[in-house]
Amino acid sequence: MAIVAGIDAGSTRTKVVIIKNGNIINKVCIPTKKDMELSAKLALKKCIKKLRIEKNEINYIVATGYGRKAIKFSNNTISEIIANVVGVKFLASSLKRKVRTIIDLGGQDSKVISLDENENIQNFVMNDKCSAGTGKFLENISRILGVKLEDLGKISIKSKNPIEINSTCTVFAESELISLLAQKKKTEDIICGIHFSIAKKLISLANQVGVKDVIVFDGGGAKNLGIKVALENLLKRKIYVPSEPEFVVALGAALIGEEYARNNR
Amino acid sequence: MRNTREIIGEEKVKSKFGLEFLKPSHRKKEIERKFLDEWEKIFKETNSAFKVLKNRLKNRIVELKKERRRGKKIIGYFCNFTPEELIYASNSIPVRLCSGSFQATFIFDENLISDTCPLIKSSFGLILSNSLFYNFCDVIILPLVCDGKRKLSEILSEFSDVWILKIPRTKSEIDKYLSDLYVIKEKLENLTGNKINRKSLENSIKTFHKRTEVFREFLNLKKESPGLIGSLETNLIGFTSFFDDVEIWTNNLKKICENMKRNKKEEKENKIRILLTGSPIIFPNTKILKIIENYANVVVDNFCFTEHLYHSVEVDDWSMKGMMRALANKYIAPSICPCLLSEEDRIDRTLQLIEDFKVDGVIYYQLRNCQLFDLEYLKMRQVFLRKKIPIFKIVSDYSTQDTEQLRIRIETFIEMIKRGKK
């Protein structure tokens, strides 16, 4: 068996996962720079440096994500939705039940994928072309509130009275936030309100394809505990978040790479 | 058209009843440049046999000018409900004004009309800015189909002579349409001074029969080798029929078909076979076709804007009455326009095509802000899913800013079909 790399060139982060014989041997996540191919190269370099292997020892590279076409050194590309499904299937194999719904919150997209009883992709929906209620929006919020992105979740679960926030539009929410801050509202209540508004948006997307158990929530946005809690609260169901949700798609790409390498595609 | 509008100073155009628009001449250059760019580009992307059409756009504009100077009337029209045969029989020239130019939509946008069908915005923009072949019409025939077109007829009538053509809401009301055709016929006769008689209409219908014959031959070729003739080629063929002379068009397509037959090669790869349907995709709005063709073959499409080429006037009785009725039949009976209450017809026809062309999946294209196509999808989707035919809707307008978002959706849908087949 071979060493295969999956590169997820996302709009805000570039992720690389390297697998050998179906096991993850290393992974790296770096912010995406203007040049997507360069970012991918850097991430891959970083990833193999730790492994003490050379680039030419990697037998196959599959690129996915928004910038997949820009990565000319990859052997093949795959749509991130398919990669996401493959990644989730792999991680969820330890669960006794089949995954039926995947909610993915990325840097500038949100997607909901519905799977049939054999975990084959049945349907999917994506947000429209604007980035309302996505990772970009969260980054903006953390900047306005002066809270670190990774702390948003922790802070929000302290809230007892989440404020109702109406807008998930990256532009309009900013003015809404500023007026809330002017009213001296508590930061945790504001953040919690924001998480609920994002969760509501995700659920309205999910309802278009139907929500069925088991539900997996992944993508960089799934690292935010506050959104997971809000989703569970609104759906009244348990939601599974993989331990490192941002790597699911890159992992899926790597697994597809193994499949391709076997079939010599 | 010229006498009904007045240009005030440098900036504005005013209609006879005082409707004012920012003078769109500043847009004209941009519209035409982009349009001609796309026109050049399409010949690089399509099969070389289609190069015979390359000069037709520019030449036709010159020809139309010349014909007009010689006193021939040029009749602009919209939609798939205006019988070209009738116009042709009055010895005038039909030119279809439906447009896919994104740049032309700005003219409505500038006047705060933004949430409207891009086809309507774009066509109006091209007419008002006098771009390309959209500016020579002596009169515009506008079938009252969707609500957007109804209102467009009002707005356009401020700037040009507009004849409305009433379209029934159900196919059983075909007689109403037929009686309106007689009205149009009389108006054409009065405008041109040429009587439409049995002889001239028969000649006209027979000329268009030849067009249908060649177009069907073309579709057959496409059916046999979808890798050779893709959706871009079909789109180009459809679009050139909007403005080109029917006989020249027929001859050119005949040449193309002969050329293709000679160069027919084995299919290279077994790509997924897609049927494309929904809102019309009119040149130069070809972004969707380009994306799909990267991953799959559009083996067949089901759009209103090539239907007029496919169907022919079936005449049993070559009397005036018989021909007029046959004309009405051609335009109403097989119509798949969602303005008519006939969704089953579209579904049945699509199912038939799926079977005939061994289609793997259906992509349903909806122009943003078109309620009719949006609502029609509901039933179509459920029927298709029950039959286990993959179907997927994409919504877009004429801008190209969403290309990457569309690409990921389309790529995933096609990959989904591939994985489902395994």
Side-chain angles (χ1 to χ4, degrees):
Chain A
M1 283 276 266
I3 301 179
V4 181
I7 303 175
D8 177 8
S11 56
T12 49
R13 302 276 188 279
T14 302
K15 285 82 64 177
V16 173
V17 170
I18 297 184
I19 57 172
K20 188 180 183 181
N21 302 334
N23 293 310
I24 302 171
I25 52 173
N26 201 10
K27 50 192 163 193
V28 155
C29 173
I30 63 166
T32 302
K33 296 197 171 59
K34 202 168 67 190
D35 183 339
M36 287 199 155
E37 189 173 25
L38 189 68
S39 311
K41 262 185 196 153
L42 285 174
L44 189 65
K45 215 171 165 184
K46 216 171 154 188
C47 203
I48 56 178
K49 205 175 165 190
K50 280 190 225 160
L51 289 173
R52 296 209 178 84
I53 55 169
E54 292 297 317
K55 194 176 162 233
N56 56 19
E57 284 176 63
I58 299 172
N59 303 68
Y60 209 86
I61 300 173
V62 172
T64 185
Y66 193 73
R68 66 193 178 286
K69 299 277 173 216
I71 301 167
K72 300 278 183 255
F73 63 85
S74 67
N75 300 79
N76 217 326
T77 61
I78 186 81
S79 114
E80 61 247 45
I81 296 173
I82 304 285
N84 199 336
V85 173
V86 174
V88 165
K89 264 198 220 174
F90 180 81
L91 293 173
S93 54
S94 57
L95 289 174
K96 291 267 146 47
R97 293 156 66 204
K98 300 275 186 205
V99 176
R100 299 298 299 276
T101 310
I102 301 170
I103 301 174
D104 173 292
L105 185 56
Q108 63 172 25
D109 294 310
S110 44
K111 317 177 185 74
V112 180
I113 309 163
S114 105
L115 306 176
D116 65 13
E117 53 276 2
N118 300 316
E119 287 186 332
N120 290 321
I121 171 165
Q122 201 173 30
N123 203 352
F124 64 93
V125 276
M126 288 171 77
N127 62 328
D128 214 351
K129 56 189 173 191
C130 92
S131 65
T134 62
K136 266 260 144 47
F137 173 65
L138 283 171
E139 274 183 1
N140 232 16
I141 300 299
S142 83
R143 180 180 52 79
I144 298 163
L145 296 177
V147 175
K148 273 194 203 152
L149 190 60
E150 50 271 30
D151 293 339
L152 286 174
K154 267 186 277 172
I155 295 171
S156 85
I157 49 174
K158 283 191 222 147
S159 163
K160 294 199 177 64
N161 303 303
I163 293 165
E164 189 153 330
I165 307 241
N166 300 312
S167 182
T168 49
C169 168
T170 318
V171 180
F172 289 135
E174 183 159 348
S175 48
E176 200 172 342
L177 277 193
I178 287 166
S179 71
L180 288 171
L181 287 174
Q183 293 166 34
K184 299 234 171 208
K185 299 280 186 198
K186 280 188 192 158
T187 313
E188 65 248 38
D189 292 344
I190 297 177
I191 297 175
C192 191
I194 285 164
H195 290 159
F196 267 93
S197 76
I198 292 175
K200 270 184 211 155
K201 199 171 157 70
L202 285 173
I203 289 169
S204 76
L205 207 59
N207 283 338
Q208 292 178 32
V209 290
V211 184
K212 290 198 188 96
D213 281 325
V214 172
I215 308 163
V216 169
F217 179 35
D218 68 3
K223 286 171 80 173
N224 185 321
L225 184 63
I227 300 176
K228 183 203 172 210
V229 170
L231 278 171
E232 285 185 327
N233 227 309
L234 292 167
L235 285 172
K236 310 229 175 330
R237 296 186 208 219
K238 189 170 164 46
I239 284 174
Y240 293 87
V241 177
S243 63
E244 283 171 299
E246 70 272 37
F247 287 108
V248 174
V249 177
L251 170 66
L255 292 165
I256 289 165
E258 263 188 351
E259 190 183 305
Y260 282 171
R262 259 201 306 278
N263 303 332
N264 273 327
R265 251 167 86 174
Chain B
M1 200 157 179
R2 261 164 298 164
N3 17 1
T4 57
R5 84 167 86 157
E6 170 194 353
I7 293 170
I8 335 169
E10 284 296 301
E11 288 83 30
K12 284 188 174 175
V13 191
K14 193 175 177 184
S15 75
K16 54 183 170 183
F17 297 116
L19 192 64
E20 280 181 21
F21 271 95
L22 286 174
K23 193 178 161 192
S25 46
H26 67 291
R27 291 269 177 221
K28 180 178 165 151
K29 256 193 198 147
E30 191 194 348
I31 295 171
E32 289 192 337
R33 186 179 52 81
K34 193 77 193 148
F35 200 102
L36 294 171
D37 271 4
E38 288 292 323
W39 181 258
E40 291 290 318
K41 243 195 260 164
I42 198 167
F43 292 100
K44 289 189 187 122
E45 288 158 359
T46 50
N47 192 294
S48 60
F50 289 79
K51 287 228 162 64
V52 288
L53 300 172
K54 198 171 171 182
N55 292 325
R56 284 314 296 154
L57 182 63
K58 276 184 181 160
N59 290 354
R60 187 61 177 163
I61 292 171
V62 178
E63 282 168 30
L64 285 173
K65 270 187 199 154
K66 226 185 254 167
E67 293 284 3
R68 197 161 189 233
R69 236 179 286 131
R70 278 192 204 137
K72 254 202 181 182
K73 299 291 177 194
I74 294 170
I75 316 289
Y77 71 98
F78 278 88
C79 285
N80 212 22
F81 289 106
T82 316
E84 290 165 273
E85 290 87 345
L86 208 56
I87 299 172
Y88 197 73
S90 73
N91 198 27
S92 41
I93 303 171
V95 172
R96 187 158 170 175
L97 303 175
C98 302
S99 153
S101 157
F102 174 52
Q103 281 66 28
T105 61
F106 296 151
I107 289 163
F108 257 143
D109 287 351
E110 282 172 350
N111 289 282
L112 303 178
I113 304 295
S114 54
D115 294 341
T116 291
C117 160
L119 197 156
I120 288 168
K121 286 199 288 187
S122 176
S123 310
F124 180 75
L126 280 169
I127 295 167
L128 200 73
S129 64
N130 284 341
S131 299
L132 300 160
F133 58 86
Y134 289 79
N135 65 340
F136 308 115
C137 314
D138 295 277
V139 73
I140 294 173
I141 302 184
L142 227 164
L144 297 187
V145 272
C146 55
D147 291 350
K149 293 266 169 56
R150 282 166 178 262
K151 283 293 143 192
L152 180 67
S153 77
E154 281 188 351
I155 297 170
L156 266 181
S157 65
E158 298 258 342
F159 297 96
S160 164
D161 279 331
V162 174
W163 298 344
I164 54 170
L165 176 58
K166 285 181 222 121
I167 303 299
R169 285 305 193 215
T170 61
K171 289 188 179 178
S172 55
E173 294 172 313
I174 191 165
D175 285 349
K176 282 190 196 163
Y177 173 74
L178 178 59
S179 65
D180 236 38
L181 282 194
Y182 278 102
V183 177
I184 294 284
K185 174 176 169 277
E186 205 185 308
K187 281 183 172 170
L188 279 168
E189 288 170 338
N190 291 339
L191 178 79
T192 59
N194 303 322
K195 196 100 185 106
I196 299 175
N197 53 30
R198 210 192 55 77
K199 190 91 199 116
S200 66
L201 189 55
E202 184 182 332
N203 280 340
S204 168
I205 288 176
K206 284 185 173 160
T207 308
F208 282 87
H209 274 171
K210 279 184 208 136
R211 178 176 84 173
T212 302
E213 203 180 299
V214 180
F215 185 68
R216 288 185 180 183
E217 190 189 330
F218 172 74
L219 286 189
N220 271 335
L221 269 176
K222 181 176 158 73
K223 189 175 176 179
E224 286 164 22
S225 40
L228 212 57
I229 305 172
S231 57
L232 269 180
E233 280 90 350
T234 323
N235 194 277
L236 180 65
I237 289 294
F239 178 67
T240 43
S241 79
F242 283 16
F243 59 82
D244 212 346
D245 175 70
V246 55
E247 280 164 280
I248 297 176
W249 187 90
T250 309
N251 278 333
N252 278 337
L253 189 57
K254 211 182 267 169
K255 270 187 224 158
I256 291 170
C257 287
E258 278 160 18
N259 213 327
M260 296 302 261
K261 267 187 225 156
R262 242 181 286 132
N263 297 330
K264 219 157 103 181
K265 285 183 210 115
E266 288 296 301
E267 284 283 297
K268 280 169 285 171
E269 46 184 328
N270 249 338
K271 279 191 170 174
I272 292 289
R273 302 167 69 88
I274 292 291
L275 179 145
L276 192 57
T277 188
S279 310
I281 294 182
I282 297 171
F283 187 85
N285 170 36
T286 50
K287 63 174 177 187
I288 306 251
L289 307 177
K290 287 179 190 165
I291 299 173
I292 301 175
E293 298 260 307
N294 270 330
Y295 307 101
N297 281 329
V298 178
V299 285
V300 58
D301 43 35
N302 189 18
F303 288 126
C304 63
F305 83 102
T306 45
E307 286 283 289
H308 66 295
L309 301 168
Y310 180 78
H311 298 296
S312 72
V313 186
E314 305 291 340
V315 190
D316 304 323
D317 154 24
W318 289 92
S319 69
M320 195 68 204
K321 240 179 159 179
M323 285 190 285
M324 287 297 278
R325 177 155 285 281
L327 262 184
N329 271 333
K330 170 187 166 178
Y331 286 94
I332 299 293
S335 174
I336 50 166
C337 179
C339 296
L340 298 170
L341 292 176
S342 59
E343 197 185 349
E344 277 81 8
D345 290 1
R346 175 191 288 279
I347 293 175
D348 287 346
R349 183 155 159 70
T350 312
L351 285 172
Q352 184 61 49
L353 289 171
I354 287 170
E355 209 180 298
D356 288 355
F357 286 82
K358 301 188 189 69
V359 168
D360 297 312
V362 177
I363 293 179
Y364 186 94
Y365 173 65
Q366 185 216 322
L367 270 182
R368 197 178 296 280
N369 296 322
C370 179
Q371 304 164 355
L372 292 163
F373 279 106
D374 196 10
L375 290 167
E376 269 213 353
Y377 183 67
L378 182 71
K379 191 164 170 186
M380 189 147 173
R381 175 167 180 270
Q382 293 188 3
V383 171
F384 280 40
L385 288 184
R386 266 201 295 279
K387 291 186 182 290
K388 299 243 180 302
I389 301 164
I391 180 166
F392 186 66
K393 181 170 90 164
I394 40 178
V395 185
S396 184
D397 52 21
Y398 287 175
S399 73
T400 46
Q401 58 172 352
D402 57 355
T403 308
E404 285 311 310
Q405 278 93 337
L406 292 173
R407 188 190 306 281
I408 180 76
R409 285 165 169 81
I410 291 168
E411 190 184 331
T412 307
F413 176 63
I414 289 162
E415 188 68 32
M416 227 168 96
I417 300 175
K418 261 191 214 163
R419 289 180 174 255
K421 277 180 95 177
K422 267 185 210 159

